[in-house]
């Protein structure tokens, strides 16, 4: 019998990342979503196309054995979740309070009888301290008698999303409402300490007992260099990330910023310098992907948030300064 996976949010990350991981790991995937047309299409077709794009061309695969449940029906969604072997969320910070009652009801249903196995939920959100945040939201909808069960039998596992999924254009959406375009990179680092049951055998899952280091690597290497490419490229008149990174001046400044934060991460966490450098070079290579057509306006939007004291630019400068590294290249990116 196939394993059962449930994912909240049938958007670009849900269909374009988690759906692929579950499918290639041999699971049936049930998406919980509030868009009726998407729910209906998933149920009618039972599959959708995933276009993996790179400069060498497009590889199209079909993600099969999928279905959907409307998130507007708390009972239907909770029933599906209560039966899951593994679950995940990718709905965004503002939607998390709306799925908390569903998770709480699923906890009631799953553990109404003794002997139920733990339920682990991967929190695939851009959210600091996601485990505590989501656990607190769910606890607010449970009776006191179930709070211990929530703590011991429900894992909220923080994950770091590194795959780049561009915004679908209106023309692409009109062609096929379920199709998704993604880059080839497909790894999912997770906090191994968050699981309450055994870590599931998911393809490309990367459990780590030092997840904090991976979170900072994502923010201060990936997010930093992506933003730096956008802001430095914007100043030179480019519209797309792949155009900006092909400019020798932009690339040199982006790479220099990444090297500063990599050195800081080595000093702070004892991470392997060669592996970090390989990760940085892989990111720079991925930014060259013309087929993704990632707009600078998308990557650079919301600069006030991205200039926050703990975010990818100023936060990276503070990381470097804490390790006695002068963040000159990072400062240039922040100035841009």
């Amino acid at each position: 019998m196939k394993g059962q996976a449930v994912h909240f949010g049938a958007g670009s990350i849900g269909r374009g990342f988690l759906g692929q991981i579950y499918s290639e790991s041999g699971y049936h995937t049930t998406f919980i979503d509030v868009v009726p047309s998407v729910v209906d299409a998933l149920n009618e077709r039972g599959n959708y196309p995933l276009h993996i794009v790179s400069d060498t061309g497009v590889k199209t695969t079909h993600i099969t054995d999928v279905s959907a449940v409307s998130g507007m029906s708390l009972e239907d969604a909770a029933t599906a979740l209560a039966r899951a072997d593994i679950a995940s969320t990718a709905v965004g910070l503002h939607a998390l309070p709306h799925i908390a009652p569903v998770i709480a009801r699923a906890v009631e249903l799953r553990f109404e009888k003794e002997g139920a196995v733990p339920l682990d939920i991967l929190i695939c959100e851009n959210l600091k301290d996601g485990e505590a945040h989501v656990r607190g939201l769910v606890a607010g909808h449970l009776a006191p008698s179930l709070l211990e069960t929530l703590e011991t039998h429900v894992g909220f596992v923080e994950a770091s999303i590194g795959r780049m999924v561009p915004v679908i254009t209106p023309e692409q959406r009109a062609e096929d409402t379920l199709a998704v375009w993604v880059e080839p990179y497909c790894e999912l680092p997770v906090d191994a300490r968050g699981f309450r049951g055994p870590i599931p055998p998911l393809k490309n899952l990367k459990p780590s007992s030092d997840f904090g280091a991976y979170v900072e690597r994502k923010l201060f290497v990936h997010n930093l260099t992506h933003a730096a490419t956008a802001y430095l490229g914007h100043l030179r008149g480019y519209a797309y990330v792949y155009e900006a990174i092909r400019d020798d001046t932009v690339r040199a400044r982006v790479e220099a910023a990444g090297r500063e934060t990599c050195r800081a991460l080595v000093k702070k966490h004892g991470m392997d310098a060669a592996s970090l450098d390989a990760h940085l070079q892989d990111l720079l290579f991925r930014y060259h992907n013309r087929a993704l057509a990632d707009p600078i306006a998308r990557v650079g939007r919301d600069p006030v948030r991205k200039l926050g004291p703990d975010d990818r630019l100023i936060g990276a400068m503070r990381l470097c300064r804490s390790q006695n590294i002068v963040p000159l290249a990072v400062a240039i990116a922040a100035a841009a």
Side-chain angles (χ1 to χ4, degrees):
M1 182 178 176
K2 276 199 169 190
Q4 299 295 312
V6 168
H7 179 79
F8 286 93
S12 296
I13 295 297
R15 299 199 313 277
F17 192 19
L18 277 300
Q20 180 185 1
I21 288 176
Y22 292 142
S23 176
E24 293 182 354
S25 303
Y27 285 74
H28 173 89
T29 306
T30 300
F31 291 98
I32 297 176
D33 203 89
V34 295
V35 181
S37 60
V38 172
V39 172
D40 291 344
L42 286 167
N43 284 326
E44 289 167 7
R45 290 161 52 175
N47 68 84
Y48 60 88
L50 182 73
H51 304 298
I52 302 172
V53 298
S54 68
D55 281 352
T56 60
V58 180
K59 177 185 176 183
T60 298
T61 184
H62 279 79
I63 305 303
T64 60
D65 207 6
V66 301
S67 59
V69 170
S70 173
M72 303 299 288
S73 171
L74 185 149
E75 202 65 21
D76 289 348
T79 299
L81 179 60
R83 297 170 178 168
D85 297 302
I86 185 67
S88 50
T89 78
V91 297
L93 176 63
H94 298 300
L96 287 172
H98 298 290
I99 70 171
V102 176
I103 299 174
R105 178 59 179 148
V107 171
E108 294 172 351
L109 294 172
R110 188 181 183 100
F111 299 106
E112 61 186 0
K113 295 181 181 179
E114 292 187 6
V117 299
L119 172 65
D120 288 309
I121 304 174
L122 309 180
I123 307 302
C124 303
E125 311 288 350
N126 186 17
L127 176 64
K128 188 176 181 180
D129 299 324
E131 189 273 346
H133 181 74
V134 179
R135 187 178 296 281
L137 289 175
V138 175
H141 295 276
L142 284 173
S145 59
L146 278 170
L147 294 181
E148 183 177 351
T149 299
L150 179 70
E151 179 61 37
T152 60
H153 281 68
V154 183
F156 296 99
V157 183
E158 294 187 38
S160 177
I161 303 298
R163 175 174 251 183
M164 291 184 284
V165 182
V167 176
I168 298 173
T169 66
E171 293 77 17
Q172 291 171 331
R173 194 180 303 279
E175 183 179 331
D176 187 339
T177 188
L178 293 183
V180 190
W181 284 257
V182 300
E183 66 165 340
Y185 179 86
C186 187
E187 290 188 359
L188 183 61
V190 296
D191 188 352
R193 301 165 302 174
F195 289 93
R196 294 297 185 265
I199 296 176
L202 295 175
K203 184 177 179 180
N204 294 326
L205 192 75
K206 306 294 181 183
S208 172
S209 56
D210 187 15
F211 187 66
Y214 276 90
V215 171
E216 292 203 341
R217 188 189 78 163
K218 169 64 165 52
L219 185 60
F220 298 136
V221 182
H222 186 170
N223 293 149
L224 164 71
T225 56
H226 207 199
T229 304
Y231 295 132
L232 291 163
H234 175 72
L235 288 184
R236 295 174 75 87
Y238 297 114
Y240 293 97
V241 166
Y242 74 82
E243 296 174 327
I245 201 64
R246 292 164 193 256
D247 181 307
D248 290 343
T249 299
V250 171
R251 178 186 165 117
R253 287 178 172 172
V254 170
E255 184 172 6
R259 288 191 183 280
E260 288 173 354
T261 56
C262 283
R263 286 170 53 210
L265 290 171
V266 169
K267 292 185 70 174
K268 180 177 179 179
H269 295 290
M271 300 178 81
D272 181 70
S275 296
L276 272 176
D277 184 66
H279 177 63
L280 173 61
Q281 297 305 321
D282 180 59
L283 287 168
L284 297 176
F285 172 77
R286 287 160 60 192
Y287 299 158
H288 281 72
N289 191 341
R290 180 186 278 107
L292 272 182
D294 209 356
I296 279 175
R298 184 195 76 82
V299 178
R301 68 187 175 192
D302 200 4
V304 173
R305 175 174 64 86
K306 291 172 182 174
L307 282 164
D310 298 314
D311 214 292
R312 63 211 68 195
L313 295 161
I314 307 304
M317 293 173 66
R318 295 176 66 199
L319 166 70
C320 289
R321 286 171 59 86
S322 75
Q323 302 302 316
N324 296 315
I325 294 168
V326 179
L328 178 61
V330 181
I332 290 172

